[in-house]
Amino acid sequence: MAGSGTCLPETDAVRRCDPYGDDIQLLLYVLYELHYRGFSGVDENLEWNPALLGVRAAAEDVFLDALRRDGGTGSKDVTGVVDALQVEPVGFDGHSVSHHLQRDGELWQLREYAALRSLYHLKEADPHLWVVPRLTGRAKAGMVAVEFDEFGAGRAENIHARLFADLMTDLGLNAQYGHYPDAAPAQALATVNMMSLFGLHRRLRGALVGHFAAVEITSSPGSRGLATALRRVGAGPAAQRFYDEHVEADAVHEQVVRHEVIGGLLEDEPALAADIVMGIEATGHLEALLGDHLLTAWRDGRSALRTPLTP
């Protein structure tokens, strides 16, 4: 994009791509990044360039169609789906990345996991802010209350993105924003792209709230396992602090999201129930794809990254 001779793919070619494949996911990640911090040497005016938006729209159509097909049941039972999120598996879950890392994970696997999660955590909560102007009343107040905590409750050193950067430093990783997308498989890119897709489109506000609920409700037990894993391998205090913070904060956020954000949104716009469910189920679908990729690689003793980390 930085060069004057860059050729864009034809929209018809984009629509024939694998919705979960490298081409579409990297394309979306790069184009969405123009709405976050952009790229050094790339004209900021390209954020709203019509040609780029046309290509992005074609890729979004393919991705969203796949999410609706593969990650959504069409259910409108928000209460039932949210209740299911709160049920923790009894004992060890062989499909859970956090369970694997807690019991069997090695330091190199935790480093890979942190590198991949940095694609989101170094801009943690940013995609969710786009929904705030589209909410009213209880839903807006609840959303802002949770986001206030995510952004450090007024203290820059407590911003969750900053805490994750400290975690990366403790693990010997490069904490610079945007350092690891080239190493990320499509499955990792997709989890972040979904947030941007839902956040940038007003019509998908219900799906973003559903995604947000899935993240907040499942975060506390997952974070507890990851904090245990980091202690077990001897990671530093900054690495442990990030997940310790999420164990406490997200246990409170879970109730606010369920009763105020979701409850308020359904009170204002009951027709969005199916979209909320879709956002929850699509999140689970993409996390399962990523989890399968990570666990398959790690159990084979190989890196899950495109480019293995240096020691």
Side-chain angles (χ1 to χ4, degrees), residues 75-76 106 124 160 168 185 208 256 261:
S75 171
K76 297 181 181 179
E106 301 177 36
E124 184 167 342
H160 286 187
M168 296 180 74
L208 185 64
V256 176
V261 182

Side-chain angles (χ1 to χ4, degrees), residues 41-282:
V42 173
D43 186 351
E44 293 184 349
N45 288 318
L46 289 176
E47 180 181 3
W48 298 109
N49 178 276
L52 292 180
L53 293 177
V55 171
R56 195 188 85 188
E60 287 177 330
D61 287 345
V62 173
F63 188 33
L64 184 58
D65 285 348
L67 291 177
R68 292 192 186 279
R69 180 190 70 229
D70 303 331
T73 61
S75 171
K76 297 181 181 179
D77 181 11
V78 176
T79 299
V81 173
V82 171
D83 284 346
L85 289 175
Q86 296 178 301
V87 177
E88 265 288 286
V90 177
F92 178 76
D93 180 358
H95 298 287
S96 168
V97 173
S98 64
H99 282 207
H100 166 80
L101 291 173
Q102 180 178 354
R103 193 185 76 171
D104 303 318
E106 301 177 36
L107 178 58
W108 68 271
Q109 295 170 349
L110 282 157
R111 294 180 75 239
E112 289 199 349
Y113 185 76
L116 290 180
R117 288 304 192 187
S118 73
L119 274 62
Y120 166 63
H121 281 307
L122 290 182
K123 56 186 174 198
E124 184 167 342
D126 289 350
H128 302 123
L129 276 181
W130 278 313
V131 82
V132 172
R134 297 156 184 173
L135 303 176
T136 60
R138 288 168 53 209
K140 176 175 285 204
M143 192 77 188
V144 171
V146 174
E147 292 286 84
F148 181 65
D149 287 345
E150 302 285 348
F151 289 112
R155 299 185 65 87
E157 66 272 19
N158 291 332
I159 292 173
H160 286 187
R162 168 68 180 274
L163 297 183
F164 196 81
D166 294 340
L167 173 151
M168 296 180 74
T169 300
D170 248 7
L171 291 176
L173 298 170
N174 189 319
Q176 182 179 2
Y177 180 92
H179 183 77
Y180 289 107
D182 286 348
Q187 295 90 337
L189 295 170
T191 63
V192 186
N193 287 337
M194 179 178 60
M195 299 182 215
S196 301
L197 169 63
F198 291 167
L200 283 167
H201 294 274
R202 179 180 171 274
R203 65 188 172 89
L204 297 174
R205 60 196 178 279
L208 185 64
V209 166
H211 161 75
F212 189 64
V215 170
E216 294 298 324
I217 290 172
T218 61
S219 173
S220 188
S223 294
R224 186 178 297 108
L226 290 165
T228 299
L230 288 163
R231 287 188 175 88
R232 183 173 56 76
V233 300
Q240 297 168 28
R241 184 191 173 195
F242 176 82
Y243 287 111
D244 284 339
E245 171 74 14
H246 281 69
V247 171
E248 294 185 24
D250 290 344
V252 176
H253 293 171
E254 169 189 330
Q255 298 302 315
V256 176
V257 171
R258 176 165 191 159
H259 298 292
E260 301 303 317
V261 182
I262 291 181
L265 181 58
L266 287 175
E267 186 176 272
D268 293 337
E269 300 186 85
L272 293 181
D275 280 353
I276 294 172
V277 171
M278 189 274 284
I280 293 172
E281 293 180 335

